[in-house]
Amino acid sequence: MSDPEKIEARGDLIQVRDLGIGFHHAWILRDISFSIRKGQTLAIIGESGCGKTVLMKTLVGLLRPSAGQVYFDGRLLADMKSDEWVRVRRRFGFVFQNAALFDSMSIYDNVAFPVRQSGPHDKKALHEMICRHVREVGLPPDVLGKMPAELSGGMRKRVGLARALILRPEVLIYDEPTTGLDPIMTDVINELILDTRRRYPVTGVIVTHDMRTVRKVADRVLMLFPRRRLDAPEDPQVLFDGSPADLENAADRRVRQFVRGEAGERLTEMAAGWQ
């Protein structure tokens, strides 16, 4: 490369090259490489402990790689200075697993929080933005005066989505967006994810166990496998990288078992002490 700090984006917003993350002399992720195109929705799946959340945090710079590189919009994250990091992080929106609303703030103040933290703002324009985004996620205006504890789990998740969208991010990170919801509310959230993509030019990264969400909203699926359960240390940790339609007939039986919810040999492994 002519410039070690920059790469040619080629339509890719995020690029991961030979990524490794280790803690306490143990690798959680090793030799992970992939890219995410602008406008694409990528679902990251895999059983608990495979490194999905670690990967998500590394993509947005909350964790530094132990090996390899992560690029965002052609820039190497590790080389960004603190002021550049502030600007880059504003290009991300986060929908947390349990919404992560501030219990002591009203819904209005929760949704307003990112704008108020980002600097000076026009109060009238902010009010209009809040009302619009709350309406877009299917909530009535009277919810704005309520506290998070007064809302159902599904309503809180929708508030979390409205808050994530208010700064018009280029990338939306969803951490288990449908966990704990009944099938109907799960589909409501999935429809909102699709509607968000129709309304805004956003790139999505979804960490999930929910195959209904994967099949409905993802353009592409990346499946990870726990390193401790690989047959050999050099075996690839990415078992699948392709379209949701190809999951059922994936060549790797471990992918098929996960997608179908089949225990397979896991009972035997657990009895032998493999968690």
Side-chain angles (χ1 to χ4, degrees), residues 1 7 37 85 112 132 135 145 150 162 164 186-187 203 205 215 217 220 225 227 241 248 256 272:
M1 273 176 263
I7 57 172
R37 297 194 318 272
W85 251 122
R132 182 175 72 252
R135 184 172 61 250
E150 299 178 74
T186 291
D187 200 51
T203 301
V205 179
R215 294 185 180 101
V217 308
R220 179 171 154 223
F225 197 70
R227 281 193 53 78
D241 185 354
E248 282 284 351
R256 299 193 303 271

Side-chain angles (χ1 to χ4, degrees), residues 10-245:
R10 301 187 306 275
D12 294 331
L13 190 58
I14 297 172
Q15 292 188 336
V16 177
R17 295 187 173 181
D18 304 317
L19 177 69
I21 298 288
F23 300 107
H24 307 296
H25 309 293
W27 290 99
I28 305 300
L29 299 172
R30 190 88 183 261
D31 300 326
I32 306 293
S33 296
F34 65 95
S35 60
I36 306 174
R37 297 194 318 272
K38 293 179 181 179
Q40 187 176 62
T41 298
L42 172 71
I44 302 174
I45 65 173
E47 62 188 75
S48 299
C50 69
K52 301 185 299 296
T53 300
V54 169
L55 177 57
M56 177 187 70
K57 290 180 177 180
T58 308
L59 294 182
V60 299
L62 296 177
L63 290 175
R64 293 179 67 87
S66 304
Q69 303 88 31
V70 178
Y71 296 86
F72 178 75
D73 202 13
R75 289 281 296 163
L76 182 62
L77 294 188
D79 288 348
M80 290 184 182
K81 300 189 183 335
S82 58
D83 58 337
E84 187 175 6
W85 251 122
V86 171
R87 293 193 298 272
V88 166
R89 284 203 171 117
R90 288 176 182 167
R91 299 169 69 180
F92 286 85
F94 298 87
V95 181
F96 299 98
Q97 182 171 338
N98 295 311
L101 302 181
F102 297 105
D103 292 338
S104 60
M105 292 184 182
S106 69
I107 299 306
Y108 187 98
D109 289 333
N110 265 281
V111 179
F113 185 81
V115 177
R116 290 172 173 165
Q117 291 296 302
S118 66
H121 57 276
D122 180 271
K123 290 184 178 180
K124 182 179 178 181
L126 174 59
H127 178 76
E128 292 173 353
M129 289 168 61
I130 292 170
C131 292
R132 182 175 72 252
H133 283 294
V134 167
R135 184 172 61 250
E136 286 177 355
V137 298
L139 292 171
D142 64 1
V143 79
L144 292 172
K146 296 181 182 296
M147 303 299 285
E150 299 178 74
L151 305 185
S152 68
M155 293 176 77
R156 288 195 296 271
K157 285 181 183 282
R158 283 182 277 168
V159 172
L161 178 56
R163 182 178 62 184
L165 287 169
I166 198 152
L167 289 180
R168 298 291 296 271
E170 295 174 51
V171 183
L172 262 180
I173 308 290
Y174 301 88
D175 184 13
E176 297 285 359
T178 58
T179 292
L181 300 180
D182 63 63
I184 298 300
M185 188 51 61
T186 291
D187 200 51
V188 167
I189 297 299
N190 290 339
E191 286 290 343
L192 286 172
I193 293 172
L194 289 172
D195 190 54
T196 296
R197 192 167 62 183
R198 287 190 288 264
R199 290 177 185 271
Y200 306 105
V202 66
T203 301
V205 179
I206 304 173
V207 171
T208 185
H209 291 102
D210 191 332
M211 297 312 300
R212 291 167 298 182
T213 296
V214 170
R215 294 185 180 101
K216 186 155 191 172
V217 308
D219 301 313
R220 179 171 154 223
V221 184
L222 191 78
M223 180 171 170
L224 301 176
F225 197 70
R227 281 193 53 78
R228 67 183 182 278
R229 294 184 51 230
L230 292 172
D231 292 334
E234 65 273 13
D235 286 353
Q237 195 172 355
V238 176
L239 300 187
F240 181 88
D241 185 354
S243 74

